[in-house]
């Protein structure tokens, strides 16, 4: 991504029901953020919830991390595109043919969503990777998967902010980097293991910062969002 996006914050709507999610959305301004809808909320509320967010002016990152046989994932990505989402993601570990099938299905659309590959989840450390037969430094695995995503023609990848500089150096300026595991100074890391502050993540090469609880559980979510945005000025 050669030109920085003036709206890099993606707020994660990690809720179990529509009512509290929309209560949070009412406190946010679509001029200052995009929204991420993940597995639980989408499973409970369905496509209609995405449409509700669109009606309120928000662009949506549909975070369902598709991982299946190539045709199934390609069809799922096409269904996401039909919803008008801004970004959708798939697991790079699904392999080259799966990623190429998804990219090919979206490439013929007039306004396709950004197709992003998930590398290594930010809840994983070296011990977790070793337990599933992927021994070694998580950073090395992230770079390996990022190369494969680039070979498949994906727009970019999801990685922890700790790997952002490595991936940026490997793939160059045009690769879109989405980084969860972003926590302001003093915030709890919760179930994340590879984390960084928003300003440091952007400085390391991230394009988009996925931030959940530091905003959604703040006493004033709108103010928390603007505080984080302010911390990024001048980077």
């Amino acid at each position: 991504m050669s030109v920085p996006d003036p709206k890099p914050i993606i707020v994660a709507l990690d809720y179990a029901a529509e009512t509290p999610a929309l209560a949070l959305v009412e406190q946010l301004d679509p001029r200052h953020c995009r929204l991420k809808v993940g597995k639980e909320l989408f499973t409970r509320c369905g496509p209609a919830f995405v449409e509700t967010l669109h009606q309120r002016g928000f662009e949506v990152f549909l975070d369902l991390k598709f991982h299946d046989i190539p045709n199934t994932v390609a069809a799922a990505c096409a269904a996401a595109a039909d919803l008008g989402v801004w970004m959708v993601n798939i697991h790079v570990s699904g392999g080259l043919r799966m990623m190429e099938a998804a990219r090919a299905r979206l490439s013929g659309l007039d306004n396709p969503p950004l197709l992003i590959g998930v590398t290594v989840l930010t809840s994983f450390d070296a011990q977790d990777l070793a337990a599933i037969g992927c021994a070694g430094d998580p950073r090395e695995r992230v770079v390996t998967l990022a190369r494969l995503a680039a070979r498949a023609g994906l727009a970019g990848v999801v990685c922890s902010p700790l790997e952002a500089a490595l991936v940026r150096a490997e793939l160059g300026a045009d690769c879109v980097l989405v980084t969860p595991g972003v926590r302001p100074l003093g915030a709890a890391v919760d179930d994340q293991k590879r984390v960084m502050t928003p300003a440091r993540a952007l400085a390391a090469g991230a394009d988009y910062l996925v931030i959940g609880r530091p905003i959604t559980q703040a006493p004033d979510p709108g103010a928390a969002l603007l505080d984080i945005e302010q911390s990024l000025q001048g980077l």
Side-chain angles (χ1 to χ4, degrees):
M1 181 172 181
S2 55
V3 179
D5 193 311
K7 193 166 60 176
I9 299 173
I10 303 171
V11 178
L13 298 181
D14 294 328
Y15 290 92
E18 180 173 351
T19 298
L22 289 181
L24 182 279
V25 170
E26 289 292 336
Q27 301 177 70
L28 303 177
D29 187 330
R31 295 174 299 177
H32 296 280
C33 68
R34 295 176 173 91
L35 301 176
K36 181 178 81 70
V37 175
K39 290 183 175 69
E40 182 177 18
L41 192 56
F42 188 79
T43 301
R44 292 185 182 278
C45 302
F49 182 73
V50 173
E51 177 58 28
T52 296
L53 298 180
H54 287 158
Q55 291 172 355
R56 297 182 184 214
F58 288 94
E59 293 177 292
V60 175
F61 168 22
L62 189 60
D63 177 29
L64 301 184
K65 300 181 180 71
F66 297 131
H67 186 169
D68 212 306
I69 63 173
N71 188 63
T72 297
V73 168
C77 289
D82 288 343
L83 294 178
V85 300
W86 162 70
M87 179 185 287
V88 65
N89 59 4
I90 60 180
H91 268 291
V92 180
S93 56
L96 183 64
R97 288 194 302 113
M98 186 200 80
M99 291 187 288
E100 288 178 334
R103 177 190 53 76
R105 185 69 66 91
L106 296 180
S107 64
L109 302 179
D110 290 335
N111 188 29
L114 289 172
L115 181 60
I116 304 295
V118 178
T119 55
V120 176
L121 299 175
T122 53
S123 60
F124 273 47
D125 58 17
Q127 184 175 357
D128 296 315
L129 285 173
I132 60 170
C134 300
D137 189 331
R139 295 173 297 179
E140 294 175 357
R141 182 158 182 83
V142 167
V143 172
T144 297
L145 292 172
R147 289 194 198 105
L148 190 64
R151 181 180 168 192
L154 270 57
V157 298
V158 179
C159 65
S160 98
L162 298 185
E163 293 95 38
L166 292 172
V167 175
R168 179 64 69 206
E170 182 72 24
L171 300 185
D174 291 334
C175 175
V176 175
L177 296 188
V178 181
T179 56
V182 175
R183 292 289 187 271
L185 284 174
V189 298
D190 300 304
D191 55 353
Q192 309 280 8
K193 293 183 179 178
R194 300 179 352 264
V195 301
M196 189 178 284
T197 66
R200 287 187 61 200
L202 275 191
D207 295 302
Y208 297 106
L209 312 174
V210 177
I211 305 174
R213 284 163 280 198
I215 293 174
T216 63
Q217 296 184 8
D220 185 338
L225 169 62
L226 293 179
D227 284 345
I228 295 172
E229 185 180 62
Q230 184 63 36
S231 76
L232 303 177
Q233 298 303 312
L235 293 177

